[in-house]
Amino acid sequence: MAWPEKLKLNKRLIQSLTDIGYVNPKEIQLKTIPRISGGQDIIAIGPEGSGKTTAYILAVLNRFRYAAEGVPKVLILVPDKDRVLDVISRFDLLNKNKSLLVVGLYPAPGTEAQMNALADGADIVVATPDRARAIYLKLGLNLNKMEMLVIDDAELIVKQGLQLPVAELANSMTKCQHLVFTEVMHARLEKMLDPFMKLPALVEVEDTDGQTMDVIPQLLYILPNFGTKLNLLNFFLQDDEVFTKTVVFVNTRQTAETILRSLHTRLKQAAAILNPWFYELPGFASLDDFMRSPQARVLVVVNDPSENFGVTGIPFIIHFELPDDKQVYISRVTDHNPGRESATMALTFGTDLELSVVRKIEQATGQKIPVAGLPEHLLIEKERKAKRTGESNPKQPESTIGEAFHEKKAGNAKNYNYGGGQKAKMNKKRKHG
């Protein structure tokens, strides 16, 4: 399907798209561009590569049909300098209106050069929220005639704790259309958007690579913070009948030591670390040693992309933290014996800020990870204020490490909010080890 008439793109834009090989619009472009042209606020949710950035660039360029005025009409906020430069390069690729001035604002020594660029004339400003706010407070960025505010990679902006400058900039624009593009939607992002987004249209697309992989059974637990992750881990691992042998993956040595101290309160010598870096830490030199040990039940492993860590035959693997490289995760959950019942189940603990990684994994595997309900008696930690807005502090959970959950009662034993079939599969794993 070629670019349809209903998108009402001008001929120069369609010619630019044809020249660079963008022959057909993507789903998110078909769903958002007409709404943007109609002046509606939108929140567009789609995975990486679904065409979100191109969608708003086309909508922005389509607004400037005539000579530009050199006064900022569009502000585009992105997480970092690399994204500023990337978005500007995409404008250069599609823009045939050479009178249109695009200026980038990003952290760099001094602000004079960027303020001078604005003073020379700018129709579209692409900026990081902190630098845009800093120059606005110095009266270098004029927001009086802004017609459109675009927030791209919104989930990454929240992850970096840049909600405050976004809110201040948005509230400084009197009449403005708001467009938000993100890979995921979660509570922290909603909290940032609620004050200035008025009845936005929600557009969501699911775009996979067309390939479905065979994976072992998985469950996703969405948790508010590090402390609640720790509580859930303790809650599960206190059950030595189901969780007979478990490998817990983390990203840092510090997290590994925190988990080990927490588990040691109840599991004593049943928890250990793979290849410990201090002699006083209990550990094993290999997975085989762990599996042969009759006492050891939990092995904490620090993610290392260079290692091919096989998990075949382990009853449970828990991703306490998601690895930076999605392929590391995918290699662990790939089912190498499809058609047979898997001996391993993968449990993933994710906060709002990790959901974008989960979505990338789902996109690559072509499968959604089922979301599991939280145990009824799990203690949810309160969020602690961190040094930067929007960040949690994993180093200091509010309650005592290892004791931040309720003891099981007889009537609530092994209540993990699973269905009957799922419980049966999990109970089979007690025979391993």
Side-chain angles (χ1 to χ4, degrees), residues 22 28-29 44 46-57 75-92 102-107 124-131 150-158 160 162 179-183 360:
Y22 287 5
I28 201 163
Q29 294 154 6
E48 183 179 13
S50 60
K52 300 188 295 295
T53 301
T54 301
Y56 71 73
I57 287 177
L75 175 61
I76 300 169
L77 299 178
V78 294
D80 52 42
K81 175 183 176 180
D82 289 342
R83 278 296 285 155
V84 171
L85 299 178
D86 178 57
V87 171
I88 291 175
S89 69
R90 297 199 197 192
F91 269 107
D92 292 340
V102 182
V103 172
L105 307 178
Y106 47 81
I124 300 167
V125 178
V126 185
T128 60
D130 49 350
R131 180 49 64 102
V150 182
I151 305 172
D152 194 12
D153 291 328
E155 79 286 355
L156 297 182
I157 288 176
V158 172
Q160 293 180 5
L162 296 172
L179 313 178
V180 177
F181 293 83
T182 181
E183 289 192 13
K360 286 181 173 66

Side-chain angles (χ1 to χ4, degrees), residues 115 162 166 172 228 254 289-291 304 312 346 425 429:
M115 292 179 69
L162 296 172
V166 171
S172 300
T228 308
Q254 181 181 7
D289 290 344
F290 166 69
M291 294 298 286
D304 184 351
T312 304
K425 289 182 180 179
K429 315 227 180 297

Side-chain angles (χ1 to χ4, degrees), residues 240-279:
D240 57 2
E241 293 184 2
V242 172
F243 290 86
T244 55
K245 290 284 186 181
T246 303
V247 172
V248 180
F249 291 103
V250 299
N251 287 337
T252 67
R253 290 182 175 184
Q254 181 181 7
T255 302
E257 291 178 26
T258 299
I259 288 176
L260 193 65
R261 289 196 303 270
S262 174
L263 296 177
H264 183 73
T265 304
R266 296 183 180 277
L267 302 185
K268 305 304 179 186
Q269 301 304 315
I273 290 177
L274 180 67
N275 295 322
W277 38 93
F278 297 123
Y279 72 89

Side-chain angles (χ1 to χ4, degrees), residues 347-386:
L347 310 181
T348 299
F349 295 179
T351 64
D352 285 348
L353 301 183
E354 293 172 301
L355 289 182
S356 59
V357 180
V358 173
R359 296 296 173 258
K360 286 181 173 66
I361 291 167
E362 292 176 333
Q363 183 186 12
T365 61
Q367 296 193 29
K368 284 281 190 181
I369 303 176
V371 177
L374 300 181
E376 181 180 356
H377 294 282
L378 175 69
L379 181 62
I380 305 299
E381 294 287 347
K382 293 181 181 179
E383 196 73 64
R384 294 178 68 92
K385 290 185 179 180

Side-chain angles (χ1 to χ4, degrees), residues 145-217:
K145 293 190 176 182
M146 283 291 177
E147 298 175 356
M148 181 184 291
L149 172 64
V150 182
I151 305 172
D152 194 12
D153 291 328
E155 79 286 355
L156 297 182
I157 288 176
V158 172
K159 189 173 184 178
Q160 293 180 5
L162 296 172
Q163 298 96 312
L164 179 59
V166 171
E168 289 186 2
L169 291 166
N171 292 330
S172 300
M173 302 177 194
T174 52
K175 262 191 168 183
C176 192
Q177 182 181 13
H178 304 100
L179 313 178
V180 177
F181 293 83
T182 181
E183 289 192 13
V184 294
M185 196 67 188
H186 52 65
R188 296 181 196 222
L189 180 52
E190 289 175 358
K191 185 177 180 180
M192 181 183 79
L193 301 178
D194 280 347
F196 58 86
M197 295 290 285
K198 307 301 180 185
L199 300 176
L202 184 64
V203 176
E204 186 169 6
V205 300
E206 296 290 345
D207 184 13
T208 67
D209 59 9
Q211 178 182 355
T212 300
M213 298 179 61
D214 292 310
V215 294
I216 63 177

